[in-house]
Amino acid sequence: MDRPTAAAVLRSSDADRHTHAAAYLRSLLAGCLGTAPDQVALDQPLEVQGFDSVTIAGISVIIEEDLGVRVPIAELAASGLGELARLLAAGVRTSEREAGEVGADAPVDRSR
C-alpha cells in the first residue's frame, strides 16, 4: 500500500480528511482489484464489486495497520467507498483524541 497516501489521511485537517480517506481507499481497493483507482465504484458495496470475504478481511487489517482504525468486516463489505471514507475520517479523529488524552509518548489502545 502507498504509505504516503495513508500518511496524508493522518496528517490532513478535518476539512480535508474525507477527501484523503477516499483517495487512500480508492488506491487500496484498486490495488486489490488490479485496476486503476478511478475504476473503483464510489457507491457500490465492496461485496458487489467482486471482493470476497478473505480479501475484505485483508483490507480490514491493512486499514487498521495504516490508519489505526478498526472497521468491522461486515461493515466494510456492505459499505460503499464514500461511507467508508466517512468512517475512516471519523475514526482517525477519534484515534487522535485518544492519543491526546493518553499522552504523546504513550501507545494508543486500539483494541476497542
Side-chain angles (χ1 to χ4, degrees):
M1 183 64 233
D2 181 11
R3 297 295 178 165
T5 303
V9 176
L10 295 171
R11 286 191 313 261
S12 61
S13 67
D14 285 349
D16 295 330
R17 192 162 289 142
H18 180 267
T19 301
H20 287 290
Y24 163 80
L25 286 169
R26 275 195 135 162
S27 177
L28 173 61
L29 300 177
C32 293
L33 289 173
T35 189
D38 63 349
Q39 297 299 308
V40 176
L42 293 172
D43 57 351
Q44 293 182 344
L46 299 189
E47 57 193 6
V48 173
Q49 295 189 56
F51 292 96
D52 62 21
S53 60
V54 173
T55 304
I56 292 171
I59 291 168
S60 177
V61 170
I62 292 168
I63 290 170
E64 187 168 5
E65 288 174 351
D66 284 354
L67 302 177
V69 177
R70 182 174 296 182
V71 180
I73 294 170
E75 193 167 0
L76 188 59
S79 298
L81 188 136
E83 178 60 25
L84 290 173
R86 280 187 285 284
L87 289 170
L88 291 183
V92 169
R93 280 195 299 270
T94 300
S95 295
E96 288 173 345
R97 274 197 309 272
E98 289 172 354
E101 291 169 3
V102 175
D105 296 329
V108 176
D109 179 11
R110 300 195 195 288
S111 62
R112 293 180 261 166

